[in-house]
Amino acid sequence: MSIAVNALVFLATLAGMELFAWFAHKHIMHGWGWGWHRSHHEPRSGWFEKNDLYAVVFAGVAIALIALGTAGWHPLEWVGAGMTAYGFLYFVAHDGLVHRRWPFRYVPRRGYLKRLYQAHLMHHAVHDRQRCVSYGFLYAPPVSALRRQLRELHEGPLKSASLNEDESTTPADAAR
């Protein structure tokens, strides 16, 4: 296969993973897979939570695709590589930036990273599996739209510091 086709498959998979992640987060993790995902919405003690099993499953799929692709089922290796790249970006943005699961002490003050950070905190403002907002991991809708959506879902304004667009968020907020 040509380098251009491989690169296109890789980039399409990387972008498509955000759509898949949104769907899986909303309909599986907050649906029938809540048993694993619930741990992510509760205080964590220790390095791991049951929700990390999703990463293990998705890594297993990516490894299988890479193995099949290198065994001749092209371009599956590039699909697996795109999934792996998405997993790395998820690890950096979600586990590092938002939830501080490794020593990453940067708190974004403006731009895309701030919006991503606030959107995920708004997702965690709801402590059950229903009525959440912002199910994506690398795409974050505008904070004002998420705030409006939360108000509509809860029939009134929530009094959460993470919902105030002008206030900075703290590591304590991210620990949720």
Side-chain angles (χ1 to χ4, degrees):
M1 292 230 141
S2 74
I3 292 173
V5 170
N6 293 339
L8 184 62
V9 169
F10 173 85
L11 293 172
T13 301
L14 182 63
M17 282 302 298
E18 180 65 8
L19 296 174
F20 172 78
W22 177 91
F23 179 85
H25 189 193
K26 181 170 183 157
H27 297 290
I28 296 172
M29 295 176 188
H30 280 257
W32 57 264
W34 180 248
W36 285 3
H37 190 62
R38 176 187 296 122
S39 67
H40 184 63
H41 286 264
E42 297 172 342
R44 182 174 28 86
S45 62
W47 281 84
F48 298 103
E49 54 193 41
K50 194 181 256 188
N51 183 65
D52 294 333
L53 292 171
Y54 283 112
V56 172
V57 169
F58 295 140
V61 171
I63 290 167
L65 289 171
I66 291 169
L68 288 170
T70 57
W73 293 67
H74 302 293
L76 292 181
E77 68 271 32
W78 294 104
V79 173
M83 288 178 67
T84 302
Y86 184 85
F88 175 75
L89 293 172
Y90 170 88
F91 174 72
V92 170
H94 180 266
D95 288 349
L97 177 68
V98 177
H99 289 290
R100 310 256 193 285
R101 290 187 67 180
W102 43 278
F104 195 62
R105 300 293 174 226
Y106 174 71
V107 176
R109 301 288 180 215
R110 63 187 171 288
Y112 164 76
L113 290 178
K114 179 180 179 181
R115 190 169 90 186
L116 180 70
Y117 186 80
Q118 288 181 319
H120 198 75
L121 293 181
M122 291 172 77
H123 174 77
H124 282 270
V126 178
H127 297 290
D128 61 21
R129 70 188 217 175
Q130 305 285 320
R131 300 177 301 154
C132 290
V133 297
S134 189
Y135 290 94
F137 292 114
L138 298 179
Y139 169 74
V143 173
S144 58
L146 293 174
R147 191 180 307 116
R148 190 175 332 105
Q149 187 180 2
L150 271 172
R151 274 194 289 271
E152 290 169 5
L153 287 169
H154 296 272
E155 301 174 353
L158 290 178
K159 295 181 177 27
S160 172
S162 63
L163 300 183
N164 294 327
E165 189 171 16
D166 297 331
E167 292 181 20
S168 65
T169 50
T170 66
D173 296 327
R176 288 201 238 155

